[in-house]
Amino acid sequence: MAAVRGWPASGPLWAGNTSTGSPAPGWSPPAATAGSWPRTLTACGYHLISSAAVLRRRLTAWGIMHRYSNLTGRRAVVIYGPTSSGKTALSLDVCEAASGRGLRPVVLNADSRQVYAGMDIGTSKIKPSQMRGFEHRLLDVAEPSSKLSLEAYAQMARDEFASLAGSENAVPVLVGGTGVYVQAVLDGWNLTGTGTLRQSLEHDFPRGDVTGSYEVLARLAPEVARRVHPHNYEAILNALVRRMASEASNEAATPFAFAVYGIDRVEAETDRRIETTLDDQIRDGLLEEIAELDRRYQLLEQARRPGRPRNVASQTHGYREFIRLAASTGKAIAELDGADLAAARAEALGHIRAYSRRQRSWFRKLGASRVDHRSAVKTIVSRLQ
């Protein structure tokens, strides 16, 4: 049995006084033999915990354990962070270190845009040549012509974790900046059958009526509404689906214990990195990628006809600004001139930076331990075994 912060590595684990739910102030384990522990702790109001779930909740309440860790079970790594924070580089270094310990790391994507085929440059999707030989899954699993539902992603992720549980030395490394994707995995959301409910909500509360949908959420679940931005349409609908589907009965167990890490940088540095990333994307062929997506899906035609369903690319920062400008000026993507590109680039930068700030709000929701790249790899890998 594992020791907890200096407690013995053998013998029973005990929890605090049931009347207070926490250890007595200033109390520390007595210097006594293991055999005297039951009598001493019982006298102090402690009792033996038989339920691991109860013990986990109490240790979490005391700040001793992360809410996604457990006393038994295999470990999985989760790396979360805002755009351009360095998640991909960190995940690859973690894979290298884990592989050196005889483990088989498998990277699972938790980015809501990297799931789409053809959206590569503008989403900073890792190239096969950059993967260092490590397997990456949940990339290119959908076409951008229709949005991949949270229900579908959650099911795919569950299937991947179940598959990896069958391999003794496999270590899932979940990486992404989409908080709701990560939370769906961590909390074991089983959203099977909620697709119809979401479609009904989208019909009753179209994107243009985000205020109405938020008011409904505030009435149904005011504590949830306080944690959701009133203009974040997708987050509001996700919350409504979860509330109406009764989340307590829609959770599925996972075979892994999660160690969750949040990588972040100071805001000014992140802003600089976002600008560098966007400029690199433009240099590496972002406009050509958008033109190819337009050829395949008629993005400009959709943009010029209000009310038509939108392709995911047309709703993605770094793509939509160029698409909208081309549609409004009547130009093809390849015909955008210097002034056009400068205007679209400036607008995209503003949107991406604002999005990175919203991403940061998920650190608290996910309970991520904040790390930086310099010290994170050693810390993360040391806790896998």
Side-chain angles (χ1 to χ4, degrees):
M1 183 175 290
V4 180
R5 283 198 181 176
W7 290 14
S10 61
L13 283 176
W14 295 73
N17 187 299
T18 55
S19 64
T20 64
S22 61
W27 184 88
S28 60
T33 62
S36 69
W37 270 65
R39 290 189 301 275
T40 304
L41 292 175
T42 301
C44 292
Y46 286 70
H47 68 96
L48 182 64
I49 292 287
S50 58
S51 167
V54 173
L55 178 57
R56 283 198 298 273
R57 286 197 295 271
R58 293 193 182 174
L59 292 176
T60 300
W62 302 343
I64 293 175
M65 291 183 67
H66 189 279
R67 65 185 172 121
Y68 295 120
S69 64
N70 62 23
L71 298 178
T72 61
R74 296 167 55 189
R75 300 300 177 92
V77 175
V78 179
I79 298 174
Y80 176 82
T83 297
S84 297
S85 57
K87 300 181 294 294
T88 299
L90 175 58
S91 68
L92 290 172
D93 287 347
V94 168
C95 287
E96 290 273 13
S99 180
R101 295 194 175 201
L103 301 172
R104 183 173 71 87
V106 177
V107 179
L108 302 178
N109 169 53
D111 184 295
S112 65
R113 291 308 187 254
Q114 292 185 3
V115 297
Y116 296 105
M119 293 177 60
D120 303 328
I121 298 173
T123 63
S124 296
K125 188 182 299 176
I126 190 170
K127 301 174 184 176
S129 61
Q130 299 170 327
M131 294 178 180
R132 304 187 198 174
F134 298 112
E135 188 175 359
H136 286 62
R137 302 182 183 180
L138 297 180
L139 296 168
D140 300 331
V141 294
E143 292 290 329
S145 51
S146 60
K147 189 176 186 298
L148 181 73
S149 69
L150 180 60
E151 171 190 354
Y153 174 81
Q155 182 62 59
M156 290 180 183
R158 282 200 307 275
D159 291 345
E160 293 293 355
F161 277 96
S163 171
L164 293 173
S167 177
E168 185 175 349
N169 66 339
V171 177
V173 182
L174 187 74
V175 183
T178 303
V180 70
Y181 272 24
V182 176
Q183 190 169 32
V185 172
L186 295 178
D187 289 343
W189 291 359
N190 182 355
L191 300 172
T192 304
T194 60
T196 301
L197 173 57
R198 185 181 180 90
Q199 290 174 1
S200 177
L201 286 170
E202 290 174 342
H203 180 269
D204 292 339
F205 300 100
R207 190 172 293 272
D209 187 20
V210 64
T211 301
S213 60
Y214 185 78
E215 289 174 352
V216 171
L217 178 62
R219 288 199 301 271
L220 290 178
E223 72 289 350
V224 175
R226 284 192 291 269
R227 300 195 298 268
V228 176
H229 194 286
H231 295 153
N232 190 334
Y233 179 76
E234 294 294 336
I236 294 169
L237 252 61
N238 287 336
L240 281 171
V241 168
R242 290 278 292 159
R243 176 65 177 80
M244 292 180 177
S246 180
E247 65 177 357
S249 63
N250 281 285
E251 294 181 0
T254 175
F256 291 92
F258 295 102
V260 186
Y261 302 93
I263 182 171
D264 199 8
R265 302 170 187 271
V266 296
E267 192 170 281
E269 182 182 0
T270 299
D271 285 349
R272 288 194 298 269
R273 288 171 64 89
I274 288 172
E275 183 171 11
T276 299
T277 297
L278 181 58
D279 288 342
D280 288 345
Q281 290 172 344
I282 294 172
R283 186 195 64 234
D284 293 341
L286 174 60
L287 296 181
E288 288 80 359
E289 179 171 273
I290 296 174
E292 174 60 20
L293 289 167
D294 178 45
R295 186 189 67 79
R296 292 168 59 186
Y297 301 110
Q298 292 76 54
L299 304 182
L300 298 186
E301 180 183 345
Q302 290 180 8
R304 292 170 181 142
R305 297 177 61 181
R308 289 197 58 176
R310 291 288 186 264
N311 188 288
V312 173
S314 300
Q315 303 173 37
T316 300
H317 304 313
Y319 289 86
R320 71 175 186 176
E321 295 82 6
F322 296 95
I323 293 168
R324 289 180 178 179
L325 183 61
S328 65
T329 59
K331 298 178 180 179
I333 295 294
E335 295 173 343
L336 295 176
D337 58 27
D340 296 329
L341 296 178
R345 174 187 176 277
E347 185 179 10
L349 278 177
H351 289 156
I352 297 170
R353 285 169 173 165
Y355 176 62
S356 75
R357 287 155 176 70
R358 293 197 298 273
Q359 286 176 299
R360 282 195 178 87
S361 67
W362 280 88
F363 279 116
R364 177 178 53 81
K365 299 175 187 177
L366 300 175
S369 300
R370 296 205 185 205
V371 296
D372 62 57
H373 198 139
R374 291 168 294 180
S375 60
V377 175
K378 183 177 180 181
T379 300
I380 293 171
V381 176
S382 68
R383 295 175 182 173
L384 288 177
Q385 296 177 315

